[in-house]
Amino acid sequence: MPEHTTASRLQLSGLCFLLQILTIILFAVFVRYSPESSPGPCSQQLNCSWRNQDSGFQHPRFRDVHLQALLGFGLLVAFLGRYGPGSVAISILVVAFTIQWAILIQGFSYFFLNGKIYVGAQSMVSADFCTAAILISTGAVLGRVNPVQMLLLTLLGVTLFTLNEYILLSLMGVSDSGGSLTVHTFGAYFGLMVSRILHQPHMDKRKEQQDTGHQPDVFAVVGTIYLWIFWPSFTSATTVHDNAEPWAVLNTYFSLVASTLATFVLSPVLYEESTLRMVQIQDATLAGMAVMGMAGEMLVTPFGALIVGFLAGLIPPLGFRFLTPVLCSRLKIQDTCGVHNVHGLPGILGALLGMLLTALATADAYGGRLELVFPLVAQGSRTATDQVLCQLCALPVTLLLATLGGSLTG
């Protein structure tokens, strides 16, 4: 056993060293800072809202997104009694490598000009979006893979995430600023397919892995508070245009409060516990925000956001009560953190909502915001019906890439 432990430690040390040397070399050859005097290269569909903003506004926005990715997701995985502190350490390892690798892979797709990758606030926010998707994926296999395997999952996951994002946002012109498809749906089903390939019959179920003690709930409390504070900035990081009203922020908050109430409605009915555990509130919070990833900047209306958030908040308790046992027993999918109920299904619901709202993409309904939300429709190069079809096709494309990529990675 000591020899095996020593070999594992040396494998992790060697892989981290090789990956860091590789990224340093690639950064030295390709990566440069964007010139402050020019807007820099920017994909039409990815983070271009940063183009006309002053640098003073970029740093707080990037800070919020980065804190959300690191602290929000990092603390949420600490509910596992046997792996809690180690899970947080693995999350930080994944974040540290994902940001570097995403800068390179996404740079070649979006920020590549004259043989160089130009980095700035846009590229850092894009990397943090990618980091969020990878952290969601790791939630499906947490506690069942070692750090070396987690790094390999990250290596392939970032590449496939970027491919899916490029197809959806740049080639298909899909509007998904908050990542219902690109972050939540892709991350969840990519991780679930890795989990399916790595199925271990003797592994305990999620509820048996949870510690009923005090410490995991403390982590969940802090992580959930970070979600409440920073996630609206996450969903709106690519949608703020000059002085336009931050619809994505407002819709996310409305969805968030309704989804939280939903779990207080349903959980006492489904479970015999006298009080809700913080993990259940955390799951509802994530579901309410995942559902607003695509539709947040669209014409949801406040009452619509409340309705959708309430529906999304019903998914985690129902999913954990009825769907998770079926996935484990019939499909042999062990979902450690319940990403299917918290990210996958709400992400799909958010994508379907986005398709419906896209049908309203007219100048009368959106006014001056049409150019910001659906630039191709506003320019006349695409009708609202064409945009709906593109949004519709984006869902199977994402699921296909996630499942095939997850199978390959597993």
Side-chain angles (χ1 to χ4, degrees), residues 308-325:
V308 174
F310 187 81
L311 294 176
L314 299 176
I315 293 176
L318 289 172
F320 283 120
R321 181 69 173 83
F322 300 108
L323 192 56
T324 298

Side-chain angles (χ1 to χ4, degrees), residues 108-290:
F108 287 117
S109 300
Y110 302 113
F111 307 103
F112 195 67
L113 185 66
N114 299 327
K116 302 296 180 184
I117 297 172
Y118 290 95
V119 299
Q122 301 175 58
S123 49
M124 291 303 294
V125 170
S126 299
D128 274 326
F129 269 62
C130 181
T131 300
I134 301 303
L135 288 173
I136 291 170
S137 299
T138 60
V141 296
L142 204 61
R144 297 189 287 118
V145 298
N146 59 42
V148 172
Q149 293 171 315
M150 201 69 87
L151 283 175
L152 295 176
L153 182 151
T154 302
L155 193 71
L156 292 171
V158 170
T159 305
L160 291 164
F161 169 89
T162 304
L163 174 63
N164 179 64
E165 187 181 53
Y166 182 77
I167 291 174
L168 264 58
L169 303 186
S170 293
L171 299 184
M172 298 176 62
V174 172
S175 177
D176 188 28
S177 59
S180 280
L181 281 178
T182 55
V183 175
H184 297 281
T185 304
F186 177 86
Y189 289 99
F190 177 79
L192 288 172
M193 287 309 299
V194 175
S195 177
R196 174 63 184 88
I197 302 299
L198 300 180
H199 173 68
Q200 298 171 348
H202 62 278
M203 193 63 189
D204 294 335
K205 296 180 181 179
R206 176 185 190 261
K207 64 180 180 180
E208 295 168 350
Q209 293 173 351
Q210 293 185 19
D211 192 336
T212 57
H214 180 64
Q215 186 178 13
D217 273 346
V218 172
F219 279 120
V221 168
V222 178
T224 303
I225 290 173
Y226 272 109
L227 290 176
W228 275 74
I229 296 173
F230 294 113
W231 196 289
S233 293
F234 185 90
T235 56
S236 65
T238 64
T239 64
V240 178
H241 300 269
D242 301 323
N243 296 320
E245 279 294 324
W247 283 2
V249 174
L250 301 175
N251 287 328
T252 301
Y253 268 119
F254 289 134
S255 177
L256 174 61
V257 296
S259 65
T260 302
L261 279 179
T263 198
F264 279 91
V265 170
L266 199 56
S267 292
V269 177
L270 297 177
Y271 301 98
E272 297 180 356
E273 298 175 350
S274 57
T275 58
L276 263 69
R277 295 195 61 201
M278 197 64 203
V279 171
Q280 295 171 312
I281 301 174
Q282 160 195 306
D283 292 340
T285 301
L286 285 166
M289 291 182 287

